[in-house]
Amino acid sequence: MASQVPAKPTPVGRSGHVALLCAQGGVHASLGDRLWLTGRIRLDARDELRTRLGSLSASTSDAGLCLEAYARWGDAFTDYIAGDFAFALWDEERQRLLAVRDRLGVRALFQTKTQQAWLVSDSLDWLAAWEAGRPLDEYWIADFLTLGVSREFERTIYRDIKRVPPGHRLRLDDGGLSLRRYWKLDLAEPLYLPRAAAYHERFRELLSRAVSDRLPAGKVGIAMSGGVDSTTLAATAVEVTGNPSRIVAECEHYERLMHIREDHYATLAARHLGIELRIRPADDIAHDPQWRSRSLRTAEPTVARLNAHNMQQVGREMAALSPVWLDGEGPDNALTLERNAYLGWLWRRRSWLKLSQTVLQYGFAKGFSGWSQTLARRTGMRHVPELEPFDVLPPWLREDFAKKLNLAERQKALGLGGDSSHPWHPLAFDSFTSPAWQSYFDDHAFEESLAGFEWRYPFLDLRVLEFMLAVPPVPWGWKKRLIRTSMRGRLPRAVLAREKTPLGCYPEIATMRATGLPLLPEGHGVGRFVDPASLPILAAQDPDLALSLGVYALDDWLAEKCQC
């Protein structure tokens, strides 16, 4: 449920015109009588930051490090901190507030203005509760219904509440509010190292630092499939801790809905590493048919609310094992094989030696099996389905709503919201400049709030991410060759040789085909956005049914928020 507005909001400024509440387990710190900080902070590279700042105790908290950094460098302190954070810092001497969101947007931060004050918070519900009947942002709703995520960083479901974009800091003082980007993803030249082993060594070194920075005091959990990414995290955690008993892994395995043998490969990796592995049958927890009767609510519409009950039950069991779980997302996007873009870039630059070397490396990396697969595709022996274009509006969207917002042109202009103009790594660059990651983090934050543990993302540590993006896509993007070759001898051969194995179906849709699709209640609130009579039926294809789930999630949210 939405949190209630406190009688007295937590003040950050003494002037009375600024208020902030970090309502989701934040920390508070101060430096003398001048600086105060509140928010959620987990920093990377703490030792390096302490060295820059001088003789600080190893026990200085991350919040304390941020305060010391601000005291030393002023507004430029954001150049020296990295990690997962959303916090506000009050400077008593200057009578101003700085609110800062981390570079990738792992932690959320919002701002709005009422008649009495500017409000900044990491809780959208808390801000929304200050005024009843807030107008909705129809562009956000349109994006949610047609894509599942907003195409713009700053939008929320409410028209007058905005997100602070990733890599930005907000300043509030007597001059009002200003927003400034302090960081942006930059990818100039590829990183060329003298020998292949140097790439392996650098990758393992950086990933070890990232994992080390994210370890809790006791056990750490790994959400481990049988794929190479999550098992690499497990292997790295074992090496960093030197104690396999501190690592516990969980593998969700489908026994009836699909047969992709996640349990088999996860078991091979766990035995090789000597870590505890819990295999969870996932067939019966893919969807909750009773979701409407649950009291679990979300700050914004999300399809996650259709399975929040199962998420909570599983999450609580995970929280009992460890307060921190590592997530393996990142390499699929960062190590995208962008062969044509990269080779074309080398050709345009007339880098003939590098081009010829790259072609040879690519041929060697693919090997016999890779070229056999290519030949099969070219000769029609193996069918590769074409993806549906994401810029086609679903047929159940109301025509007058789509025309009012000019949605067809909006989708063509914005795409997924990222920047695809990069000359040699456009798909990867587009991915990590897209708001889609923001939605991914928001869903994980919802799971955290349900269960009481914390997700952390070692592959999205900027030291690791920027390295993966900088290595030449050819050959290191070929089936994530960088990771597979770096982990030789550290993981079983069968795991390293396993092909990327996508899910064989949409598990929630497979469950609904047996239990039935959700139904819109009488007096539903989504009729102004969609035509319920045109929604897909059970005989429709999985992707169409999956996209339509946003309609039911939106309707339930509208009913709960009394916005219909």
Side-chain angles (χ1 to χ4, degrees):
M1 298 293 291
S3 57
Q4 297 298 311
V5 176
K8 292 183 178 180
T10 304
V12 175
R14 303 296 179 82
S15 60
H17 70 280
V18 173
L20 175 127
L21 176 66
C22 283
Q24 301 179 18
V27 296
H28 306 273
S30 63
L31 188 62
D33 294 325
R34 176 192 166 194
L35 302 176
W36 287 267
L37 183 149
T38 183
R40 299 194 65 182
I41 308 172
R42 188 210 56 78
L43 293 182
D44 293 326
R46 300 177 191 87
D47 291 341
E48 290 91 329
L49 181 57
R50 288 192 188 96
T51 299
R52 285 177 176 270
L53 289 170
S55 57
L56 291 179
S57 168
S59 63
T60 304
S61 68
D62 287 0
L65 289 173
C66 287
L67 286 171
E68 293 283 358
Y70 175 77
R72 171 74 64 87
W73 296 300
D75 287 6
F77 83 115
T78 50
D79 295 340
Y80 299 91
I81 61 173
D84 312 330
F85 49 77
F87 64 85
L89 186 156
W90 174 254
D91 186 329
E92 176 72 10
E93 181 178 324
R94 299 184 182 183
Q95 286 288 293
R96 68 175 187 175
L97 174 88
L98 290 179
V100 185
R101 190 177 182 196
D102 65 73
R103 288 162 166 80
L104 292 182
V106 174
R107 295 298 169 199
L109 194 60
F110 308 92
Q111 58 89 7
T112 189
K113 186 178 183 182
T114 69
Q115 293 181 348
Q116 295 80 25
W118 284 100
L119 301 175
V120 183
S121 176
D122 70 344
S123 171
L124 181 61
D125 270 343
W126 186 82
L127 292 179
W130 277 85
E131 292 181 358
R134 287 183 179 274
L136 302 182
D137 188 322
E138 292 188 335
Y139 287 102
W140 189 99
I141 291 174
D143 287 347
F144 175 70
L145 291 175
T146 58
L147 185 63
V149 299
S150 173
R151 288 177 165 84
E152 297 176 86
F153 282 106
E154 292 190 51
R155 292 188 185 274
T156 74
I157 183 66
Y158 303 105
R159 192 188 309 161
D160 55 356
I161 301 179
K162 302 299 182 184
R163 280 181 171 82
V164 176
H168 281 68
R169 65 171 177 255
L170 175 153
R171 187 172 72 188
L172 277 170
D173 53 26
D174 290 339
L177 180 146
S178 62
L179 192 63
R180 179 178 179 273
R181 179 194 291 271
Y182 69 86
W183 176 87
K184 65 181 298 186
L185 184 63
D186 185 25
L187 187 58
E189 297 287 316
L191 176 63
Y192 296 119
L193 298 179
R195 51 196 178 87
Y199 289 98
H200 306 155
E201 294 162 4
R202 185 65 172 156
F203 172 74
R204 290 193 298 264
E205 175 196 357
L206 294 176
L207 187 59
S208 294
R209 292 184 190 177
V211 169
S212 179
D213 283 344
R214 287 161 176 78
L215 292 176
K219 285 194 171 185
V220 63
I222 311 284
M224 194 169 84
S225 68
V228 69
D229 300 339
S230 57
T231 53
T232 292
L233 289 184
T236 304
V238 169
E239 290 188 6
V240 169
T241 62
N243 184 0
S245 67
R246 285 185 59 188
I247 317 302
V248 56
E250 170 145 339
C251 173
E252 289 194 355
H253 164 62
Y254 293 96
E255 297 177 339
R256 302 189 311 273
L257 298 181
M258 64 189 82
H259 303 283
I260 55 177
R261 305 183 71 199
E262 295 286 6
D263 59 332
H264 169 71
Y265 291 99
T267 299
L268 290 178
R271 288 175 179 170
H272 182 87
L273 298 171
I275 65 174
E276 178 184 355
L277 172 66
R278 300 196 174 199
I279 296 177
R280 183 181 299 277
D283 302 83
D284 296 325
I285 58 173
H287 172 63
D288 175 22
Q290 306 300 319
W291 65 278
R292 280 193 185 272
S293 65
R294 313 294 186 185
S295 60
L296 303 171
R297 300 299 182 218
T298 56
E300 289 181 299
T302 170
V303 174
R305 73 194 279 131
L306 275 68
N307 202 35
H309 175 72
N310 290 332
M311 289 169 57
Q312 184 178 62
Q313 299 306 308
V314 171
R316 285 175 173 172
E317 294 180 19
M318 294 169 63
L321 297 173
S322 172
V324 170
W325 285 76
L326 303 185
D327 176 271
E329 285 296 323
D332 283 341
N333 303 72
L335 295 175
T336 301
L337 177 66
E338 302 196 60
R339 179 194 59 199
N340 293 344
Y342 180 58
L343 295 180
W345 177 76
L346 291 175
W347 178 274
R348 292 190 298 273
R349 287 165 59 102
R350 300 175 182 267
S351 300
W352 309 125
L353 178 59
K354 183 61 66 178
L355 179 61
S356 60
Q357 291 173 339
T358 300
V359 170
L360 289 174
Q361 289 172 337
Y362 180 58
F364 177 78
K366 285 190 69 168
F368 177 77
S369 62
W371 287 109
S372 297
Q373 293 173 8
T374 300
L375 179 62
R377 288 195 298 270
R378 292 289 185 266
T379 58
M381 295 167 59
R382 180 179 176 185
H383 175 65
V384 179
E386 294 184 2
L387 297 176
E388 292 294 327
F390 64 81
D391 58 350
V392 176
L393 296 176
W396 38 261
L397 201 68
R398 283 183 62 99
E399 186 176 353
D400 56 346
F401 177 60
K403 287 183 177 180
K404 173 185 174 183
L405 302 182
N406 197 15
L407 293 185
E409 290 302 317
R410 172 182 173 79
Q411 293 195 175
K412 291 178 181 178
L414 296 181
L416 296 175
D419 179 3
S420 60
S421 64
H422 196 271
W424 56 270
H425 225 341
L427 295 179
F429 200 79
D430 182 52
S431 167
F432 289 103
T433 55
S434 166
W437 281 101
Q438 185 167 257
S439 177
Y440 181 80
F441 296 136
D442 286 347
D443 282 348
H444 275 58
F446 174 54
E447 188 176 4
E448 292 175 345
S449 70
L450 292 174
F453 69 86
E454 183 177 336
W455 283 109
R456 294 179 181 172
Y457 312 90
F459 285 120
L460 299 182
D461 181 299
L462 287 177
R463 294 166 295 188
V464 179
L465 176 60
E466 291 178 340
F467 176 74
M468 291 192 297
L469 288 171
V471 300
V474 182
W476 299 113
W478 168 252
K479 297 184 178 181
K480 292 183 286 193
R481 182 177 178 83
L482 173 68
I483 298 179
R484 295 180 191 274
T485 54
S486 296
M487 298 308 292
R488 285 175 181 166
R490 291 169 168 80
L491 286 171
R493 289 183 179 180
V495 173
L496 294 176
R498 187 190 185 198
E499 296 278 346
K500 174 68 178 176
T501 309
L503 295 180
C505 68
Y506 289 74
E508 69 277 21
I509 299 302
T511 302
M512 289 177 191
R513 292 193 187 281
T515 62
L517 285 172
L519 297 175
L520 289 176
E522 293 185 12
H524 55 76
V526 294
R528 51 186 154 154
F529 310 119
V530 305
D531 175 14
S534 299
L535 288 170
I537 60 176
L538 272 177
Q541 295 183 353
D542 279 9
D544 296 329
L545 286 170
L547 183 61
S548 72
L549 296 183
V551 174
Y552 305 101
L554 174 61
D555 179 73
D556 192 54
W557 186 91
L558 290 172
E560 188 260 329
K561 298 293 183 181
C562 299
Q563 296 280 2
C564 53

